[in-house]
Amino acid sequence: MSTEVKDSEARAKAAQHLEAERPSLEFGGAWDYAPAPEARDHVRLEKAYRLFIDGRFVAAKSRRTFPTINPATEEILARVDEAGAADVDAAVRAAEEAGRKRWSRLAPAERGKYIYRIARLLQEKSREFAVLETLNGGKPIKESRDVDVPLAVAHFFYHAGWADKLAYAFPRHRVAPVGVCGQIIPWNFPLLMAAWKIAPALACGNTVVLKPAETTPLTALHLARVVQEADLPPGVVNIVTGAGETGAHLVNHPRVRKIAFTGSTEVGKIIQRALAGTDKRLTLELGGKAANIIFEDAPLDQAVEGIVNGIYFNQGHVCCAGSRLLVQESVAEAVLAKLANRVATLRLGDPLDKNTDVGAINSKMQLTKIRELVAAGIDEGAQIHQSSCAIPEKGFWFPPTFFTGVAQSHRIAREEIFGPVLAVMTFRTPEEAVEKANNIPYGLSAGVWTDKGSKIFKITAKMRAGVVWANTFNKFDPASPFGGYKESGFGREGGVHGLRGYVELE
Ligand code: NDP
């Protein structure tokens, strides 16, 4: 039986349920807003994009290209070159030569100046990058404008500052670069992930070959233009576009000294196996299934905003999304009523509209995965609650959804859905909350909501998660290390900890 049929039945049921559950407040639905689309005429899209190797845009030797689309409309935005083994080899060799002859020989303060220049140029072009990110990825413009681009800029500024201070970061050591870094990133925060990878690598004197995700190559390629404009020595930053095969060429290239990977746990394991027995360094930022814990003494309205931000931000395509809600039994009814009401107000639609809360799902493949897991949730007996918002006819969409009656063993409670779908469970005591929060193979992030400072310290200390937020969620800062425990990977990005993966210490 097709998932689509189940999906529409489930949606109809969920809409009824949501209607029935909705508390009789003064307003119980989305307000009408006039359309407020962000202009896109200032973004110069090429028809075809080449690879960025040795400071120039060059045609792929593979002679293969692939289309990149707008997931909200399915419009083809451009064709992009696909790097084969020979192209990856050319990029790695250019990076090696640039490292040996130019970048590692520059005074650290001079390297810092180049990185500052990238930061400033990116800041100047922030509107162009925000629109491009939204066009290619489907995320709401208010997120790319207020989160992705400013944070990417902040990462370059922050790491520019470290370039000539590495001796302070690692006192009593002689600090040397690692060499050529192969960097592979996913599609959920394309520009931000590129910044997380490139900025610390350059600050530490390394050169890079970056592979963006197949579905979202455009902001990385426009970042290549910024790199050109900033006049970086050719070969310091190289960008090779393509699918998983291109990433595998990079991983297996013998002259790459370090692989920095952000993506799924499944591909992370493949990469780890490929590097076993080599002397290449590896950091892995993988998937997550974070617990967001609401205690009965929490400010509930704020907590509900935190739940919404935790799971519906970027359509739930967030590795650290608060996708498992653990709510104390005594307040569960109140929290769920408020959540149902809030979900009904979320506006889904044109990602370029400044009032849109929930944009498009990044790809058809991801939509299929979300539908499959939602169908599994219904089959396993959980109750679905779903926004009855209108779904555009073209593009890939999934309405904000939450499940109640979820058991810890359900697939929706254990597997990363990477979509706007929340699994709600309850607990009675703090010990039970901690036990349930940690009962998962992942350990990337978690959230705790309570009025009591002492409880925050007591609970967060027991969480096996790389980042734990208290009375907030999804807050990022370049000075704050980010990374996982268990199957969420190893190594940290951001802060002094993030520099460690890009230096050799003597
Ligand atoms: P994937 O692991 O499928 O892809 C990540 C990147 O790896 C892409 O560039 C991909 O190329 C490439 N790739 C795929 N196969 C291989 C291979 N065999 N060898 C080398 N590279 C390969 O993840 P998604 O792009 O689908 O992203 C979603 C996942 O990423 C989620 O599980 C999410 O949790 C995780 N993630 C983790 C983050 C973290 O910081 N911990 C942050 C963001 C996402 P292609 O695009 O062609 O598939």
Side-chain angles (χ1 to χ4, degrees):
M1 166 157 170
S2 86
T3 312
E4 301 219 356
V5 174
K6 278 192 184 170
D7 199 32
S8 58
E9 281 169 7
R11 284 200 49 169
K13 255 194 265 161
Q16 274 171 10
H17 191 102
L18 209 60
E19 207 51 53
E21 289 286 295
R22 193 176 289 154
S24 53
L25 299 179
E26 297 245 319
F27 65 94
W31 290 8
D32 275 341
Y33 282 74
E38 174 68 60
R40 57 180 275 193
D41 49 7
H42 58 290
V43 178
R44 190 166 55 86
L45 272 175
E46 308 289 343
K47 282 205 170 70
Y49 284 84
R50 306 291 180 221
L51 310 175
F52 185 63
I53 297 177
D54 208 14
R56 290 179 308 127
F57 288 95
V58 294
K61 292 178 188 153
S62 72
R63 292 172 178 272
R64 288 194 299 267
T65 64
F66 61 93
T68 189
I69 66 165
N70 176 349
T73 59
E74 298 174 59
E75 162 204 8
I76 293 182
L77 296 170
R79 291 201 72 85
V80 180
D81 277 19
E82 184 185 323
D87 300 297
V88 171
D89 181 57
V92 172
R93 284 176 193 278
E96 195 180 46
E97 181 149 319
R100 194 161 31 87
K101 293 196 178 152
R102 297 182 280 269
W103 195 242
S104 66
R105 290 192 183 179
L106 271 183
E110 292 303 309
R111 288 202 302 260
K113 284 185 197 167
Y114 282 109
I115 307 171
Y116 274 123
R117 220 181 279 167
I118 295 176
R120 283 196 301 267
L121 286 167
L122 201 54
Q123 199 169 34
E124 270 173 29
K125 299 173 196 292
S126 53
R127 203 164 145 233
E128 168 192 337
F129 274 91
V131 171
L132 200 54
E133 197 73 306
T134 286
L135 278 175
N136 201 193
K139 62 175 68 196
I141 187 74
K142 69 177 176 191
E143 292 179 7
S144 37
R145 182 195 62 197
D146 299 345
V147 182
D148 294 65
V149 179
L151 274 176
V153 170
H155 266 268
F156 281 108
F157 274 123
Y158 174 80
H159 286 96
W162 272 122
D164 61 348
K165 299 175 195 69
L166 296 176
Y168 297 95
F170 305 104
R172 296 181 300 282
H173 286 286
R174 236 173 60 84
V175 183
V178 174
V180 178
C181 300
Q183 307 185 311
I184 301 172
I185 55 173
W187 42 260
N188 55 346
F189 293 94
L191 179 69
L192 184 58
M193 289 299 109
W196 276 30
K197 295 281 180 279
I198 295 174
L202 298 193
C204 295
N206 305 285
T207 54
V208 306
V209 179
L210 177 93
K211 194 206 82 76
E214 184 185 3
T215 57
T216 53
L218 294 185
T219 42
L221 290 164
H222 280 238
L223 182 64
R225 288 185 187 166
V226 166
V227 166
Q228 262 186 338
E229 213 179 312
D231 214 13
L232 254 78
V236 172
V237 174
N238 304 275
I239 296 181
V240 289
T241 39
E245 202 184 315
T246 306
H249 291 315
L250 192 53
V251 167
N252 296 319
H253 197 291
R255 304 186 94 91
V256 167
R257 303 305 312 142
K258 179 208 159 90
I259 291 292
F261 172 80
T262 297
S264 60
T265 294
E266 192 190 346
V267 174
K269 286 181 182 174
I270 295 174
I271 292 176
Q272 198 171 11
R273 274 197 288 273
L275 295 195
T278 72
D279 63 351
K280 285 181 199 167
R281 313 240 326 236
L282 175 65
T283 43
L284 296 174
E285 296 279 2
L286 308 176
K289 187 84 184 172
N292 202 1
I293 307 176
I294 317 289
F295 284 103
E296 60 192 359
D297 56 17
L300 294 190
D301 287 320
Q302 273 167 262
V304 167
E305 285 311 302
I307 297 167
V308 168
N309 175 28
I311 187 63
Y312 303 123
F313 169 63
N314 200 24
Q315 296 75 247
H317 301 329
V318 183
C319 50
C320 51
S323 49
R324 284 185 304 145
L325 178 65
L326 294 172
V327 53
Q328 197 152 16
E329 210 172 86
S330 50
V331 291
E333 206 175 317
V335 168
L336 292 178
K338 284 174 189 287
L339 181 63
N341 190 50
R342 185 67 179 91
V343 167
T345 68
L346 291 174
R347 290 178 298 273
L348 176 146
D350 180 8
L352 274 177
D353 192 306
K354 290 171 207 132
N355 291 321
T356 291
D357 298 308
V358 181
I361 298 302
N362 183 266
S363 65
K364 195 172 188 180
M365 211 171 112
Q366 188 59 26
L367 181 58
T368 307
K369 181 182 162 191
I370 296 169
R371 284 182 171 158
E372 195 241 318
L373 276 161
V374 166
I378 296 169
D379 285 348
E380 285 182 315
Q383 289 85 56
I384 186 168
H385 310 260
Q386 206 164 44
S387 164
S388 53
C389 58
I391 300 288
E393 278 180 14
K394 285 217 108 166
F396 317 125
W397 306 91
F398 200 85
T401 299
F402 66 91
F403 277 100
T404 52
V406 179
Q408 286 187 79
S409 56
H410 285 168
R411 284 183 69 195
I412 49 169
R414 307 199 61 74
E415 294 181 31
E416 190 178 40
I417 302 176
F418 225 55
V421 182
L422 175 70
V424 183
M425 289 165 280
T426 57
F427 65 91
R428 288 185 182 165
T429 63
E431 292 70 30
E432 189 187 344
V434 171
E435 180 93 22
K436 284 184 168 168
N438 288 335
N439 181 21
I440 192 99
Y442 294 111
L444 194 55
S445 61
V448 175
W449 296 80
T450 166
D451 200 29
K452 308 261 183 312
S454 55
K455 200 186 268 177
I456 290 174
F457 287 114
K458 208 169 155 190
I459 299 295
T460 54
K462 291 180 186 159
M463 305 294 276
R464 291 279 292 157
V467 182
V468 187
W469 289 289
N471 292 332
T472 188
F473 211 91
N474 275 339
K475 285 277 182 293
F476 304 95
D477 189 287
S480 176
F482 184 88
Y485 282 85
K486 302 190 275 184
E487 293 204 9
S488 292
F490 48 79
R492 293 292 178 265
E493 291 188 303
V496 185
H497 305 69
L499 300 173
R500 185 64 191 86
Y502 288 101
V503 290
E504 296 288 358
L505 299 181
E506 291 168 20

